[in-house]
Amino acid sequence: MTNGRVNPSQRLEDQGIAGPAHVSYNLNEAALVEAAIKRGEGTLGQGGAFLVSTGKHTGRSPKDKFVVRTPSVEDTIWWENNAPMAPEAFDRLHADMLAHMKGGDYFVQDLFAGADPEHRLDVRVVTELAWHGLFIRHLLRRPERAELDDFIPEFTIINCPSFKADPERHGCRSETVIALNFEKKLILIGNTAYAGENKKSVFTLLNYILPGKGVMAMHCSANHAIGDPDDAAVFFGLSGTGKTTLSADPSRTLIGDDEHGWSEKGTFNFEGGCYAKTINLSEEAEPEIYATCSMFGTVVENMVYDAETLELDFTDNSITDNMRCAYPLEAISNASETSLGGHPKNVIMLTCDAYGVLPPIARLTPAQAMYHFLSGFTSKTPGTEVGVVEPIPTFSTCFGAPFMPRRPEVYGKLLQQKIRDHGATCWLVNTGWTGGAYGSGSRMPIRSTRILLTAALDGSLANATFRKDPNFGFDVPVSVPDVADVLLDPRRTWEDEAAYDVQARKLVNMFADNFAPYVPYIDDDVRAAAIG
């Protein structure tokens, strides 16, 4: 039995999925909210937001993610970073999951991943939970009615939170599993209700497929000058570096906040929505994201709320620090209608240096950009995790190691080539500490960061006088209007400059140790950048 807003050209039974008793195809937001409430999956909150708990899993389960080791991908997967699953184990997992689905109710969303029609991926997402259908309908791109008439999925995701894997039978680590089979064009997700697994599985697919077509897949935000899509910029950065905040500049048009491609034509967003962290979110600092939390259809994940008033508590992290909201991109007033931009004129790499060593901004050569891209440096600070009592360096290659199925240098070389071909200027921006390390120094002034970024994006910073950084070899501006000169020279901000030198050498050595595994795979110019 089926129902839905669109009669699909391909039904689940055509794909060999014949067990569900009831399938709803391409329900719209209102119908999905209605179904989720009827099924007791969550609570209708203020303004019609849908409030939900994901249970045991309040974040991704990277150790439970597997790639099926088939001949077609054997030589191109970065196996040191991607756990393999035997094809026979996947087949057993697939058969057992289909058996588990018999007699159940399921929801299908047929969606696009990618705003560029030439490079988009047509994805079918089959979910056990109605609100998962709502989530992925926000996060991917919704086809027009006519486009659904002949929609044939290239990849299919089946997500069954109630299914528990058998590690011995299915070749996985635990009862939770995320298994990607590039040959069968199928992803199976079990025993986790965390909706982000759906989104990141699609990102992983694109991270494998697009580089094979010469398209750079990027874990970054992006924007462009108002009225000028060719004046685009991309912002790489790990959690806590300001990627979303700094790209959401009201004086520029937002292309997207998390995942993008760089093709022969320019920049394009993979997504149709945003998945924003809400911990300590304030109406004053982020008014538009804050407003989405009381907007009809927004999925609000793992937030504490008052049982009577349904008022959200943005400061209570008793469920998780990883509380989030998911909403369509059009909820942001300065979002691009096309989600397309030109070739980036500026590539920004954001880091949060808790050691107080890096300057607030530095200009990178293409080789230096590849070095810092492959390094993917930031730092965890005390209080972010139990047991963290001093800054801990964090290196996540390509600013998103968990989602990189190919070897890092594949992405690094492609980014380096794109930068050279299109003349992009690269900047390293430190939003971390100045005047000392965490505990003695202070956080980089956000006003100064914004001034420096604005100068980089409008081209005026290129006219500054630069000095060569003695530790990393990149160019640092000596003076910028409305920014204190001393801030641009981190050594001068320390009371004890000798202590700075010790700290700087320590950080340089951390970079070198982390980068050592990549040295055999890189060109001489990047090797030179690595050793300063």
Side-chain angles (χ1 to χ4, degrees), residues 431-469:
T431 60
W433 269 256
T434 183
Y438 178 95
S440 60
S442 58
R443 196 72 190 254
M444 198 70 68
I446 185 65
R447 179 178 179 275
S448 297
T449 300
R450 290 191 181 279
I451 290 171
L452 291 168
L453 264 180
T454 298
L457 295 178
D458 68 18
S460 62
L461 190 56
N463 299 321
T465 300
F466 289 83
R467 64 175 178 85
K468 190 74 66 177
D469 182 82

Side-chain angles (χ1 to χ4, degrees), residues 19-20 92-104 106 163:
R92 290 191 292 271
L93 175 67
H94 187 200
D96 291 349
M97 188 172 283
L98 292 183
H100 174 84
M101 294 170 68
K102 287 183 178 178
Y106 284 82
F163 175 84

Side-chain angles (χ1 to χ4, degrees), residues 116-444:
D116 184 342
E118 291 186 28
H119 299 297
R120 79 184 183 206
L121 191 68
D122 296 355
V123 180
R124 167 165 284 180
V125 185
V126 183
T127 63
E128 184 178 38
L129 297 172
W131 78 263
H132 271 197
L134 178 64
F135 171 91
I136 203 64
R137 186 173 172 83
H138 288 332
L139 266 297
L140 293 185
R141 304 186 64 81
R142 299 159 292 283
E144 297 294 333
R145 173 64 178 82
E147 293 175 308
L148 284 169
D149 288 337
D150 56 359
F151 186 98
I152 300 295
E154 297 174 67
F155 274 82
T156 297
I157 298 172
I158 303 176
N159 190 327
C160 296
S162 67
F163 175 84
K164 296 183 184 299
D166 180 340
E168 186 172 341
R169 176 171 169 77
H170 300 136
C172 51
R173 187 187 71 100
S174 72
E175 292 181 334
T176 301
V177 65
I178 303 98
L180 288 75
N181 192 322
F182 286 99
E183 200 163 271
K184 293 194 171 183
K185 299 188 174 182
L186 183 62
I187 298 174
L188 304 178
I189 303 173
N191 196 46
T192 172
Y194 180 67
E197 296 287 12
N198 298 293
K199 159 190 157 76
K200 289 303 184 184
S201 292
V202 175
F203 186 33
T204 303
L205 286 179
L206 292 169
N207 276 349
Y208 182 79
I209 295 167
L210 292 180
K213 300 165 64 178
V215 177
M216 179 64 188
M218 305 178 291
H219 185 208
C220 70
S221 56
N223 63 25
H224 66 70
I226 293 175
D228 186 5
D230 289 333
D231 185 1
V234 297
F235 300 75
F236 292 98
L238 297 169
S239 180
T241 58
K243 176 165 60 79
T244 299
T245 299
L246 292 172
S247 64
D249 183 341
S251 67
R252 293 175 64 86
T253 298
L254 180 68
I255 301 173
D257 81 329
D258 200 32
E259 298 164 4
H260 294 81
W262 186 351
S263 73
E264 69 284 356
K265 294 186 295 185
T267 312
F268 63 98
N269 191 356
F270 290 167
E271 301 180 286
C274 302
Y275 191 32
K277 285 188 175 181
T278 57
I279 187 168
N280 297 322
L281 187 67
S282 72
E283 188 172 13
E284 295 74 28
E286 300 282 0
E288 292 199 303
I289 298 176
Y290 186 90
T292 67
C293 294
S294 57
M295 182 184 78
F296 180 79
T298 292
V299 175
V300 176
E301 250 184 9
N302 298 318
M303 287 191 69
V304 174
Y305 59 89
D306 186 282
E308 294 185 6
T309 67
L310 301 176
E311 183 177 353
L312 299 171
D313 189 333
F314 291 87
T315 62
D316 189 336
N317 64 348
S318 57
I319 298 176
T320 178
D321 285 331
N322 193 37
M323 57 180 83
R324 290 179 179 265
C325 63
Y327 51 89
L329 194 61
E330 55 263 29
I332 303 302
S333 62
N334 68 326
S336 166
E337 293 183 2
T338 65
S339 294
L340 300 172
H343 296 291
K345 288 187 176 181
N346 290 279
V347 174
I348 314 295
M349 297 183 187
L350 300 166
T351 184
C352 175
D353 173 24
Y355 298 89
V357 170
L358 296 175
I361 196 166
R363 186 173 60 189
L364 308 176
T365 66
Q368 289 169 340
M370 182 177 176
Y371 175 66
H372 285 277
F373 179 71
L374 290 178
S375 297
F377 168 71
T378 192
S379 46
K380 295 178 182 177
T381 55
T384 57
E385 292 183 8
V386 175
V388 177
V389 295
E390 64 178 48
I392 297 177
T394 299
F395 293 92
S396 184
T397 188
C398 308
F399 295 97
F403 323 117
M404 302 299 164
R406 296 179 182 267
R407 283 201 57 87
E409 58 272 8
V410 172
Y411 306 100
K413 289 179 179 179
L414 188 53
L415 179 64
Q416 185 181 16
Q417 189 61 49
K418 293 281 187 186
I419 290 169
R420 284 176 170 162
D421 288 350
H422 300 289
T425 304
C426 301
W427 306 92
L428 182 70
V429 174
N430 173 27
T431 60
W433 269 256
T434 183
Y438 178 95
S440 60
S442 58
R443 196 72 190 254
M444 198 70 68

Side-chain angles (χ1 to χ4, degrees), residues 12 25 41 77 118 224 368 388 420 425 503 505 509:
L12 289 188
Y25 291 91
E41 295 177 3
I77 295 292
E118 291 186 28
H224 66 70
Q368 289 169 340
V388 177
R420 284 176 170 162
T425 304
Q503 190 83 319
R505 181 47 49 189
N509 289 338

